[in-house]
Amino acid sequence: MAVVLVFDNGALLTEDRSAFYRRFTDILRASAPDIETAFEAGWPDFVSGHATEAAYWERGLAALERDANLDQLGDIARAAFQPLPGMGELLEALRARKIPLARLANQGKEFDMYMRIKYDFIQIFRTMVSSWQAGAPIREVYLVNPSE
C-alpha cells in the first residue's frame, strides 16, 4: 500500500486575519465585513486561475468604490501568512523518513509562486497541486486521482 502524506496550505501556514483587516480598513476606509464581501466575489476566479491577482484586487476595489495601490494590497495579504512554528523541521523529518509528501493549495498563481519562493520548506513536497493549475476552486482540486 502506497502512503502519501497530503498537506493543505492551512496546515502549513497561519493566517493573521486581524492584522490583515486592520491594515485594509485603514487603507480602504471600509469595515472588515464590507471588505470581505467585496473581495469574496472575485475569489473563485482568482484561485481557479481565471483572473490575475491584479484583476482580483481591482474587482474588490470596484465593489467598494475605492482606489488603492494593488502591490500594497498584495504585500499586506502575503504578510498575513506565516509558517506554523516547527513546520519546516517537521517536513524535513518526514522527508528523511522517505515519506512522500504532497501539497494542495487554494491560491491564485501569483500568490502560490510567491509562497514557493519565500518558504524553502515548500520545495520539500514531491507533488504540489494548486487550484490555479487545476482551473478549479479547492473543493474540486481535492478530487485528485491517487494513481496519477
Side-chain angles (χ1 to χ4, degrees), residues 49-122:
H50 300 296
T52 64
E53 183 175 4
Y56 168 71
W57 293 124
E58 288 168 351
R59 182 175 176 176
L61 289 171
L64 288 169
E65 298 180 351
R66 300 288 194 277
D67 206 12
N69 179 301
L70 304 184
D71 291 333
Q72 182 183 26
L73 298 180
D75 290 346
I76 292 167
R78 285 170 177 78
F81 291 89
Q82 297 297 319
L84 289 169
M87 184 52 66
E89 294 82 4
L90 171 64
L91 294 173
E92 284 289 352
L94 293 169
R95 180 169 66 172
R97 290 179 167 213
K98 304 209 182 308
I99 296 172
L101 302 172
R103 172 183 167 258
L104 298 177
N106 194 37
Q107 299 174 328
K109 180 179 181 179
E110 297 90 340
F111 194 84
D112 188 36
M113 294 287 99
Y114 169 83
M115 291 298 188
R116 290 181 190 208
I117 293 166
K118 169 90 174 160
Y119 301 115
D120 292 339
F121 68 82
I122 290 179

Side-chain angles (χ1 to χ4, degrees), residues 21-31 34-35 38-39 57 60-61 64-69 72-73:
Y21 281 118
R22 269 195 311 276
R23 297 281 311 277
F24 267 51
T25 56
D26 288 346
I27 292 168
L28 301 176
R29 303 285 184 232
S31 70
D34 287 347
I35 291 169
F39 287 103
W57 293 124
L61 289 171
L64 288 169
E65 298 180 351
R66 300 288 194 277
D67 206 12
N69 179 301
Q72 182 183 26
L73 298 180

